[in-house]
Amino acid sequence: MNALICGSMAYDTIMVFHDKFKNHILPDKLHILNVSFLVPAIRREYGGCAGNIAYNLKLLKEEPFIMATVGHDFEPYAHWLSQHRIASRYIKVLDDHYTGQAYITTDVDDNQINAFHPGAMNFSHLNSVPVDSEIGIGIVSPDGKQGMQEHAEQFAELGIPFIFDPGQGMPMFNGEELLHFLDLANYATFNDYESELLQDRTGLTLEQIAEKVDALIITLGSHGSQIYTQGGCIDIPAVAPAQIVDPTGCGDAYRAGLLYGLMNDYDWEITGRIASLLGSIKIEHAGTQNHTFTMTEFKQRYQQSFGSTF
């Protein structure tokens, strides 16, 4: 079974300011804000939700296909995907646009000032879910609004089960639109903040939302996650990382674990634990696609973490 990963591709430019923002921003002068931060530490990472999910799923020895729109500056990222044998046949290059760009400045207190240029991502609707492939499952992750809506419709029309994962794209949708996604999707996943926003915008409780899908997954950071399915709720424990280096991309790693479990017909207890472990491994490394492991190493750590195997 192959997985189609619909979502963003982006370059993450991460800068570190060796001081505190609060020492340089005057609260009573915010209306005339004009500040500059010296950032002696900088790095550029490959990111975007689709890229991150696919990278993690490939580590688990599955075959992800990324479907995304990118810009004329995509060549270095394309080379990276090729090095890791991640298929790019459904990635469309738009020569008049940039690939999505995230600029993240972090201070010594881990506060962040971010700017994001969506670029080619805004045209994700120019791609369509392929009808003549061996896609067995999909995910609709953060992307252009029209693209997310159309790809969900296409998965449903083709009878391909998929996960609805709006992530940071949640604010784009009103309650009616979110309910329609849930009517189309087989599974849905949100973090704790997004789940609160979902309830506020739809007027439904988590239990009511869970009735609309086969499984509703809520991630709770260091408190683990919860999977609502078949009228019950399964608590999935968090895996304590060896060290906390960078939480960016942990949610994407977790979602790759969900896809892996579904692709291999594992029950939700095992699927959730695989996802939890994958997120923990990611947090131990800087960037979203710099961690690596063999399946033997992953299964050994799973056994150490949960006292069982899969």
Side-chain angles (χ1 to χ4, degrees):
M1 180 190 295
N2 299 323
L4 187 68
I5 317 298
C6 304
S8 61
M9 300 290 283
Y11 291 111
D12 296 336
T13 300
I14 302 168
M15 298 159 282
V16 180
F17 176 51
H18 293 164
D19 199 344
K20 301 178 180 181
F21 293 141
K22 68 180 182 181
N23 293 337
H24 300 266
I25 298 176
L26 302 176
D28 60 337
K29 300 295 183 182
L30 291 177
H31 62 293
I32 53 170
L33 184 65
N34 187 354
V35 295
S36 178
F37 303 107
L38 179 66
V39 287
I42 185 172
R43 69 180 192 271
R44 196 184 199 201
E45 303 282 1
Y46 300 113
C49 294
N52 296 340
I53 294 170
Y55 178 83
N56 283 279
L57 196 54
K58 189 67 177 184
L59 288 178
L60 295 171
K61 303 304 180 184
E62 294 295 346
E63 291 301 322
F65 293 98
I66 297 171
M67 191 170 81
T69 44
V70 300
H72 57 76
D73 56 343
F74 189 66
E75 185 175 353
Y77 205 153
H79 181 65
W80 171 263
L81 294 176
S82 178
Q83 283 183 310
H84 292 85
R85 302 180 182 276
I86 299 174
S88 58
R89 71 185 68 170
Y90 302 120
I91 296 177
K92 183 184 291 292
V93 177
L94 305 179
D95 291 331
D96 295 333
H97 298 276
Y98 286 99
T99 301
Q101 310 275 334
Y103 296 91
I104 305 165
T105 305
T106 303
D107 72 1
V108 295
D109 285 339
D110 286 331
N111 296 307
Q112 291 186 340
I113 297 176
N114 299 335
F116 183 72
H117 172 66
M121 189 184 79
N122 280 335
F123 301 91
S124 60
H125 56 278
L126 297 180
N127 277 328
S128 297
V129 175
V131 299
D132 56 350
S133 65
E134 297 180 2
I135 303 299
I137 193 168
I139 184 168
V140 175
S141 60
D143 212 346
K145 179 177 181 179
Q146 183 178 346
M148 292 178 70
Q149 292 171 315
E150 292 185 4
H151 298 156
E153 295 278 0
Q154 292 159 8
F155 275 129
E157 289 172 3
L158 292 169
I160 299 173
F162 74 96
I163 300 173
F164 175 48
D165 167 35
Q168 61 265 41
M170 276 282 289
M172 294 190 296
F173 304 106
N174 60 35
E176 182 178 348
E177 291 167 329
L178 290 167
L179 287 172
H180 187 58
F181 273 116
L182 293 168
D183 287 336
L184 296 172
N186 302 81
Y187 320 99
T189 182
F190 307 86
N191 66 25
D192 48 356
Y193 173 79
E194 293 158 2
S195 71
E196 293 290 340
L197 184 59
L198 177 68
Q199 292 174 83
D200 180 68
R201 292 198 171 179
T202 63
L204 300 180
T205 64
L206 290 180
E207 290 76 13
Q208 291 172 321
I209 294 166
E211 293 176 359
K212 292 181 168 293
V213 289
D214 294 334
L216 171 66
I217 302 97
I218 308 296
T219 59
L220 305 169
S222 62
H223 298 291
S225 54
Q226 295 179 321
I227 301 177
Y228 294 80
T229 184
Q230 297 181 341
C233 180
I234 302 168
D235 290 316
I236 303 296
V239 176
Q243 57 183 342
I244 298 176
V245 175
D246 181 5
T248 309
C250 289
D252 295 331
Y254 184 99
R255 281 142 183 79
L258 295 179
L259 284 168
Y260 178 80
L262 290 166
M263 294 168 76
N264 289 278
D265 294 323
Y266 290 125
D267 62 33
W268 283 110
E269 286 85 352
I270 292 175
T271 296
R273 283 165 170 75
I274 290 171
S276 181
L277 176 56
L278 200 52
S280 179
I281 291 172
K282 177 16 246 131
I283 205 172
E284 297 170 352
H285 300 79
T288 59
Q289 299 179 30
N290 294 321
H291 54 292
T292 186
F293 52 78
T294 66
M295 281 304 294
T296 297
E297 292 169 339
F298 187 83
K299 290 186 176 183
Q300 287 175 343
R301 188 156 175 186
Y302 183 99
Q303 185 171 28
Q304 292 167 359
S305 300
F306 302 112
S308 60
T309 59
F310 68 90

